Structure formats: C-alpha cells, structure tokens
C-alpha cells in the first residue's frame, strides 16, 4: 500500500468503521461475492455437501469427508495407504465453486477436489494434474510455498501480512482503498485511495500478458480479454472495469446496465438492420458471449468483438 519510512504505517480499522459515513456502499459490499471470497470453512455448508457425496477417482483413490471442529476433515484412501488433513479455508464465494485449503505437515495445501455449484458436487480442482496421484498423501492436493499462498490470500482477503495473524477474510473496504485509520480520524484531510484504473482490479483479476488471450481458459481473467478489445483500445483505456461494474456490488444479472454503457458510444444502428442496438436490445449475445472452457464453470467473455 506504500512506504512509510520514518513514520508509523496507517492503521487498519476494519469495514465496520466505514459504515457510518458510507452506509450504502457498506451494505452492498458486505453482501457481495467479493466479501465472501474467503471464509473459514467451518462457517460454510461445504463440509455437509461433500460429506453427502464421497468421491472415488477412476484410479481407485477415494475421498471421504466429514465436518470436524475447525473445518472440513478429508481422508484419502489409496489401496492400503491413508492420508488425512483438516481443510480450514474456503476459497471462492461459492457462486461457481469453492476450493478447500488447509495446513498439512506445516505447509498449506490446495485440495485436489473443489466443490462446483453447477453440479452440486465435488470434482478435480482447476490446475491439478489429471494423472492418478502417486500416493494418498499426494492426492490431498498441491503443497504451496509461502510466497504463493500469500498471493492467494492477498486476493481473497484484507490486511494480508506475513503470518496472516491480522488477516480479515474476504475482500472488504481496505483491500482496495488502503488502511483507513487516518481517514477515520480526519476524513477531509486524509484521503483514501480512490483509483478507478484497471490496474487496481488487475491485482487480482490478472493483468494481461502477451499471448494470454490465445488460451481459451483465459476467459476467466476478464482483463486479458478486455485489453484485446477494440472498444478498450479505441477509448485510450477510458473504458474501465467500473464503466460497467459497481465495485461495491455484484455484477448485474440483467442486460440493461451493460447495454446502456454500449449505447453511450454506439448509439447509431449503422448499416446493419439486424443489429440489436437498433432497438436498444441486449448487446452481449452478439459481442460478449458466455464461455465454458473449463468443466462446470461459465464466464462472460470480456474480449468485446464481432464473432465470426
């Protein structure tokens, strides 16, 4: 959030400190998927959902689940081998999926199995090798090093520091606006970070890199597609994430807000009598289609274009 050499770092206050002056934003944001991006596993219904449906992979590896004090207990059975772990964190709001994470032998492990809302069932986590696990312990998941797991928590939580002791699960006010201590004491004098630049969203929604858009799976990283859009390039980056999305609320589920943004620049029907904009209809089916490049997951393609 910045350097504070020679002076005390601004204090984190927690989202409740924002409520008095920013009641509308607080009410909306606290119910959003961002706010549920990370939760203690014990506070979710994932243990029951997975416990009702034990898994057995084609290789013969079995996954057995049960709610345990502190989270989700998993037992992996591979022949005569057994491995157990307690999965304490639920990564993801649950709108599409939840990936369990926990400590095992002193290291964080991203579980091999995630819960997918579309099928109301567990299945292999994105990015995990489809080949059979060599051992029961290996089937628990991928061990993450300290740097990697810190990045994971940083995008799913607020006030993430080494050790995670002060972390607040979920993305709340100070994750995007910075520590609010000075602002709470002197709102007029101590301004919070209010950038609307794409770079802020890119911290978690992935900044585009050369060639990334060629991968169909990159559709889940919205900024990769957006950066390749003619609309984005022609606007000199005036088209930003917040042009279409209220950062304090979930993405709208109706077409009208997005169509209004499109019509702000594309009001004329042009030469195509069949174009939906002639009747101010939904632009997305023609220019931002949903895509499912990964099992059980669907994303809106943010590479705005005319499909061929």
């Amino acid at each position: 959030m910045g350097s504070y050499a020679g002076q005390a770092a601004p204090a984190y206050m927690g989202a409740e400190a924002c409520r008095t002056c920013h009641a509308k934003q607080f009410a909306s944001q606290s119910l959003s998927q961002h706010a549920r991006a990370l939760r203690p596993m014990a506070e979710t219904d994932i243990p029951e959902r997975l416990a009702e449906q034990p898994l057995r992979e084609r290789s013969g590896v079995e996954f057995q689940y049960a709610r345990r004090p502190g989270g989700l207990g998993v037992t992996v059975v591979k022949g005569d081998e057994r491995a157990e772990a307690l999965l304490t964190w639920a990564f993801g709001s649950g709108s599409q999926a939840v990936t369990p994470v926990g400590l095992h032998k002193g290291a964080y492990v991203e579980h091999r199995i995630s819960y997918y809302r579309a099928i109301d069932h567990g299945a292999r986590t994105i990015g995990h090798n489809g080949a059979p696990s060599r051992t029961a312990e290996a089937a628990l998941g991928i061990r993450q090093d300290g740097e990697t797991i810190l990045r994971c928590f940083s995008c799913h939580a607020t006030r993430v520091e080494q050790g995670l002791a002060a972390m607040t699960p979920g993305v709340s006010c100070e994750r995007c606006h910075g520590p609010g201590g000075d602002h709470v004491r002197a709102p007029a004098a101590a301004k919070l970070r209010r950038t609307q630049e794409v770079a802020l969203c890119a911290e978690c929604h992935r900044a585009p890199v050369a060639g990334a858009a060629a991968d169909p799976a990159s559709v889940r990283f919205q900024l990769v597609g957006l950066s390749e859009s003619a609309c984005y390039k022609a606007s000199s980056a005036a088209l930003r994430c917040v042009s279409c999305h209220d950062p304090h609320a979930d993405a709208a589920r109706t077409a009208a807000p997005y169509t209004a943004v499109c019509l702000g620049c594309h009001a004329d029907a042009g030469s195509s009598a069949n174009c939906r904009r002639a009747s101010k209809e939904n632009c997305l089916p023609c220019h931002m289609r949903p895509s499912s490049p990964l099992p059980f997951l669907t994303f809106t393609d943010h590479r705005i274009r005319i499909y061929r």
Side-chain angles (χ1 to χ4, degrees):
M1 294 295 183
S3 175
Y4 306 102
Q7 57 180 311
Y12 283 88
M13 304 298 290
E16 283 289 339
C18 307
R19 175 181 241 167
T20 301
C21 297
H22 306 282
K24 180 180 178 181
Q25 292 88 343
F26 174 88
S28 178
Q29 200 283 328
S30 61
L31 296 176
S32 70
Q33 293 173 20
H34 274 131
R36 301 194 304 277
L38 178 69
R39 293 163 291 165
M41 183 63 75
E43 296 179 8
T44 75
D45 63 352
I46 301 301
E48 283 73 25
R49 290 185 178 275
L50 290 179
E52 292 172 357
Q53 306 165 11
L55 291 170
R56 181 185 178 90
E57 294 189 334
R58 283 177 293 186
S59 64
V61 175
E62 296 182 23
F63 297 85
Q64 302 167 2
Y65 298 98
R67 181 177 286 279
R68 300 282 184 241
L72 169 65
V74 56
T75 300
V76 179
V77 180
K78 179 179 172 65
D80 295 333
E81 297 179 45
R82 293 173 66 90
E84 297 183 352
L86 180 66
L87 305 172
T88 53
W89 290 108
F91 275 74
S93 69
S95 62
Q96 294 215 65
V98 170
T99 298
V101 171
L103 280 167
H104 181 68
K105 294 185 176 180
Y108 277 99
V109 173
E110 179 186 68
H111 190 37
R112 180 174 174 80
I113 301 298
S114 290
Y115 167 78
Y116 292 90
R117 180 71 60 186
I119 56 173
D120 191 22
H121 205 286
R124 183 157 45 90
T125 300
I126 294 172
H128 287 236
N129 197 319
S133 300
R134 293 177 292 100
T135 65
E137 185 170 310
L140 286 174
I142 298 176
R143 291 169 64 89
Q144 303 288 5
D145 60 49
E147 181 180 349
T148 299
I149 202 65
L150 196 64
R151 289 201 304 270
C152 295
F153 277 103
S154 292
C155 284
H156 288 259
T158 303
R159 194 180 180 181
V160 175
E161 301 166 348
Q162 289 289 348
L164 306 178
M167 178 184 72
T168 300
V171 175
S172 57
C173 310
E174 291 170 302
R175 172 60 184 86
C176 298
H177 293 295
D182 291 345
H183 179 71
V184 169
R185 285 188 290 272
K191 300 296 185 182
L192 288 174
R193 180 168 69 174
R194 296 189 65 181
T195 178
Q196 295 182 337
E197 295 303 320
V198 168
L200 178 60
C201 301
E203 291 179 7
C204 297
H205 291 275
R206 302 290 179 91
V209 295
D215 179 3
S218 71
V219 70
R220 65 190 178 118
F221 305 129
Q222 298 86 348
L223 296 172
V224 172
L226 183 64
S227 68
E228 294 291 322
S229 302
C231 288
Y232 181 76
K233 295 175 179 177
S235 73
S236 299
L239 175 63
R240 307 172 226 171
C241 306
V242 296
S243 299
C244 298
H245 300 297
D246 178 352
H248 300 106
D250 289 341
R253 296 295 182 183
T254 59
Y258 306 118
T259 300
V261 174
C262 296
L263 291 175
C265 294
H266 303 282
D268 297 328
S271 60
S272 176
N274 294 323
C275 184
R276 290 171 177 262
R277 62 182 168 171
S279 55
K280 295 182 171 55
E281 292 183 52
N282 185 3
C283 304
L284 274 62
C286 292
H287 302 290
M288 296 180 69
R289 293 176 180 171
S291 177
S292 299
L294 298 163
F296 320 125
L297 298 172
T298 300
F299 306 92
T300 297
D301 188 348
H302 279 65
R303 185 182 172 190
I304 308 165
R305 64 191 186 277
I306 299 173
Y307 292 86
R308 302 298 182 185

Short mmCIF file of all heavy atoms in Angstrom, two decimals, residues 153-179:
data_model
loop_
_atom_site.label_atom_id
_atom_site.label_comp_id
_atom_site.label_asym_id
_atom_site.label_seq_id
_atom_site.Cartn_x
_atom_site.Cartn_y
_atom_site.Cartn_z
N PHE A 153 -3.96 -15.62 -0.58
CA PHE A 153 -4.72 -14.95 0.48
C PHE A 153 -4.88 -13.47 0.18
O PHE A 153 -5.91 -12.87 0.49
CB PHE A 153 -4.05 -15.16 1.84
CG PHE A 153 -4.39 -16.46 2.49
CD1 PHE A 153 -3.48 -17.52 2.48
CD2 PHE A 153 -5.61 -16.65 3.13
CE1 PHE A 153 -3.79 -18.73 3.08
CE2 PHE A 153 -5.93 -17.86 3.74
CZ PHE A 153 -5.01 -18.91 3.72
N SER A 154 -3.87 -12.85 -0.45
CA SER A 154 -3.93 -11.41 -0.71
C SER A 154 -5.07 -11.03 -1.63
O SER A 154 -5.59 -9.92 -1.55
CB SER A 154 -2.60 -10.93 -1.32
OG SER A 154 -1.55 -11.01 -0.37
N CYS A 155 -5.46 -11.93 -2.52
CA CYS A 155 -6.56 -11.64 -3.43
C CYS A 155 -7.91 -12.05 -2.88
O CYS A 155 -8.94 -11.67 -3.44
CB CYS A 155 -6.33 -12.33 -4.78
SG CYS A 155 -5.09 -11.50 -5.78
N HIS A 156 -7.92 -12.78 -1.79
CA HIS A 156 -9.19 -13.27 -1.23
C HIS A 156 -9.47 -12.69 0.15
O HIS A 156 -10.51 -13.01 0.74
CB HIS A 156 -9.17 -14.80 -1.16
CG HIS A 156 -9.29 -15.47 -2.49
ND1 HIS A 156 -10.47 -16.01 -2.95
CD2 HIS A 156 -8.38 -15.66 -3.48
CE1 HIS A 156 -10.28 -16.54 -4.15
NE2 HIS A 156 -9.02 -16.34 -4.50
N ALA A 157 -8.59 -11.86 0.64
CA ALA A 157 -8.74 -11.34 2.00
C ALA A 157 -8.21 -9.92 2.09
O ALA A 157 -7.65 -9.38 1.13
CB ALA A 157 -8.02 -12.25 3.00
N THR A 158 -8.37 -9.32 3.25
CA THR A 158 -7.96 -7.95 3.51
C THR A 158 -6.93 -7.95 4.63
O THR A 158 -7.01 -8.75 5.56
CB THR A 158 -9.17 -7.10 3.91
OG1 THR A 158 -10.15 -7.17 2.85
CG2 THR A 158 -8.80 -5.64 4.13
N ARG A 159 -6.00 -7.04 4.55
CA ARG A 159 -4.90 -6.91 5.51
C ARG A 159 -4.11 -8.21 5.62
O ARG A 159 -3.95 -8.79 6.69
CB ARG A 159 -5.43 -6.49 6.89
CG ARG A 159 -4.31 -6.01 7.81
CD ARG A 159 -4.81 -5.60 9.17
NE ARG A 159 -3.71 -5.14 10.02
CZ ARG A 159 -3.84 -4.73 11.27
NH1 ARG A 159 -5.02 -4.71 11.84
NH2 ARG A 159 -2.78 -4.34 11.94
N VAL A 160 -3.61 -8.65 4.50
CA VAL A 160 -2.82 -9.88 4.46
C VAL A 160 -1.35 -9.53 4.64
O VAL A 160 -0.77 -8.78 3.85
CB VAL A 160 -3.04 -10.62 3.13
CG1 VAL A 160 -2.12 -11.83 3.04
CG2 VAL A 160 -4.50 -11.04 3.01
N GLU A 161 -0.77 -10.04 5.69
CA GLU A 161 0.64 -9.81 6.01
C GLU A 161 1.27 -11.16 6.34
O GLU A 161 0.56 -12.15 6.56
CB GLU A 161 0.77 -8.84 7.19
CG GLU A 161 0.13 -7.48 6.91
CD GLU A 161 -0.04 -6.64 8.17
OE1 GLU A 161 0.12 -7.20 9.27
OE2 GLU A 161 -0.36 -5.45 8.04
N GLN A 162 2.58 -11.21 6.39
CA GLN A 162 3.26 -12.45 6.74
C GLN A 162 2.69 -13.00 8.04
O GLN A 162 2.55 -12.29 9.04
CB GLN A 162 4.76 -12.21 6.89
CG GLN A 162 5.48 -11.93 5.58
CD GLN A 162 5.59 -13.16 4.68
OE1 GLN A 162 5.32 -14.28 5.11
NE2 GLN A 162 5.97 -12.95 3.44
N GLY A 163 2.38 -14.28 8.03
CA GLY A 163 1.84 -14.92 9.24
C GLY A 163 0.32 -14.94 9.25
O GLY A 163 -0.28 -15.75 9.97
N LEU A 164 -0.31 -14.05 8.51
CA LEU A 164 -1.77 -14.00 8.36
C LEU A 164 -2.52 -13.73 9.66
O LEU A 164 -3.74 -13.85 9.71
CB LEU A 164 -2.30 -15.31 7.74
CG LEU A 164 -1.65 -15.74 6.41
CD1 LEU A 164 -2.24 -17.06 5.95
CD2 LEU A 164 -1.86 -14.67 5.35
N ALA A 165 -1.81 -13.35 10.72
CA ALA A 165 -2.45 -13.20 12.03
C ALA A 165 -3.51 -12.11 12.04
O ALA A 165 -4.52 -12.23 12.73
CB ALA A 165 -1.38 -12.92 13.09
N ALA A 166 -3.29 -11.02 11.29
CA ALA A 166 -4.22 -9.89 11.33
C ALA A 166 -5.22 -9.91 10.17
O ALA A 166 -6.01 -9.00 10.02
CB ALA A 166 -3.44 -8.58 11.30
N MET A 167 -5.19 -10.95 9.38
CA MET A 167 -6.00 -11.02 8.17
C MET A 167 -7.50 -11.01 8.46
O MET A 167 -7.96 -11.61 9.42
CB MET A 167 -5.66 -12.31 7.42
CG MET A 167 -6.45 -12.55 6.16
SD MET A 167 -6.06 -14.16 5.43
CE MET A 167 -6.86 -15.27 6.61
N THR A 168 -8.25 -10.31 7.61
CA THR A 168 -9.70 -10.34 7.63
C THR A 168 -10.17 -11.10 6.41
O THR A 168 -9.91 -10.66 5.28
CB THR A 168 -10.30 -8.92 7.60
OG1 THR A 168 -9.84 -8.19 8.74
CG2 THR A 168 -11.82 -8.98 7.61
N PRO A 169 -10.84 -12.23 6.56
CA PRO A 169 -11.28 -12.99 5.39
C PRO A 169 -12.22 -12.18 4.51
O PRO A 169 -13.05 -11.41 4.99
CB PRO A 169 -12.02 -14.19 6.01
CG PRO A 169 -11.45 -14.31 7.39
CD PRO A 169 -11.16 -12.90 7.82
N GLY A 170 -12.08 -12.35 3.21
CA GLY A 170 -12.92 -11.64 2.26
C GLY A 170 -12.35 -10.30 1.85
O GLY A 170 -11.52 -9.70 2.55
N VAL A 171 -12.77 -9.83 0.68
CA VAL A 171 -12.34 -8.53 0.16
C VAL A 171 -13.28 -7.47 0.72
O VAL A 171 -14.46 -7.45 0.40
CB VAL A 171 -12.37 -8.52 -1.37
CG1 VAL A 171 -12.05 -7.14 -1.92
CG2 VAL A 171 -11.40 -9.56 -1.92
N SER A 172 -12.75 -6.60 1.56
CA SER A 172 -13.56 -5.53 2.14
C SER A 172 -12.92 -4.18 1.81
O SER A 172 -11.96 -4.10 1.04
CB SER A 172 -13.74 -5.72 3.64
OG SER A 172 -12.49 -5.80 4.30
N CYS A 173 -13.43 -3.12 2.40
CA CYS A 173 -13.08 -1.74 2.01
C CYS A 173 -11.58 -1.50 1.89
O CYS A 173 -11.09 -0.96 0.89
CB CYS A 173 -13.67 -0.76 3.01
SG CYS A 173 -15.42 -1.01 3.38
N GLU A 174 -10.83 -1.91 2.92
CA GLU A 174 -9.42 -1.54 2.97
C GLU A 174 -8.55 -2.37 2.04
O GLU A 174 -7.38 -2.03 1.83
CB GLU A 174 -8.93 -1.63 4.42
CG GLU A 174 -9.53 -0.53 5.29
CD GLU A 174 -9.25 -0.72 6.77
OE1 GLU A 174 -9.64 -1.78 7.31
OE2 GLU A 174 -8.66 0.18 7.39
N ARG A 175 -9.08 -3.44 1.47
CA ARG A 175 -8.31 -4.19 0.47
C ARG A 175 -8.08 -3.33 -0.77
O ARG A 175 -7.02 -3.37 -1.39
CB ARG A 175 -9.03 -5.49 0.08
CG ARG A 175 -8.38 -6.24 -1.11
CD ARG A 175 -6.95 -6.63 -0.76
NE ARG A 175 -6.26 -7.25 -1.87
CZ ARG A 175 -5.60 -6.60 -2.83
NH1 ARG A 175 -5.60 -5.26 -2.85
NH2 ARG A 175 -4.96 -7.25 -3.77
N CYS A 176 -9.08 -2.53 -1.13
CA CYS A 176 -8.96 -1.70 -2.33
C CYS A 176 -8.60 -0.25 -2.01
O CYS A 176 -7.89 0.41 -2.77
CB CYS A 176 -10.27 -1.73 -3.11
SG CYS A 176 -10.72 -3.36 -3.73
N HIS A 177 -9.08 0.27 -0.88
CA HIS A 177 -8.89 1.68 -0.56
C HIS A 177 -7.68 1.95 0.33
O HIS A 177 -7.29 3.10 0.52
CB HIS A 177 -10.14 2.24 0.12
CG HIS A 177 -11.33 2.30 -0.78
ND1 HIS A 177 -11.39 3.12 -1.89
CD2 HIS A 177 -12.52 1.64 -0.73
CE1 HIS A 177 -12.56 2.97 -2.49
NE2 HIS A 177 -13.26 2.07 -1.81
N GLY A 178 -7.10 0.89 0.90
CA GLY A 178 -5.95 1.07 1.77
C GLY A 178 -6.36 1.26 3.22
O GLY A 178 -7.54 1.40 3.55
N PRO A 179 -5.40 1.26 4.16
CA PRO A 179 -5.69 1.41 5.59
C PRO A 179 -6.48 2.69 5.85
O PRO A 179 -6.16 3.76 5.33
CB PRO A 179 -4.31 1.47 6.23
CG PRO A 179 -3.40 0.81 5.24
CD PRO A 179 -3.95 1.12 3.90
#
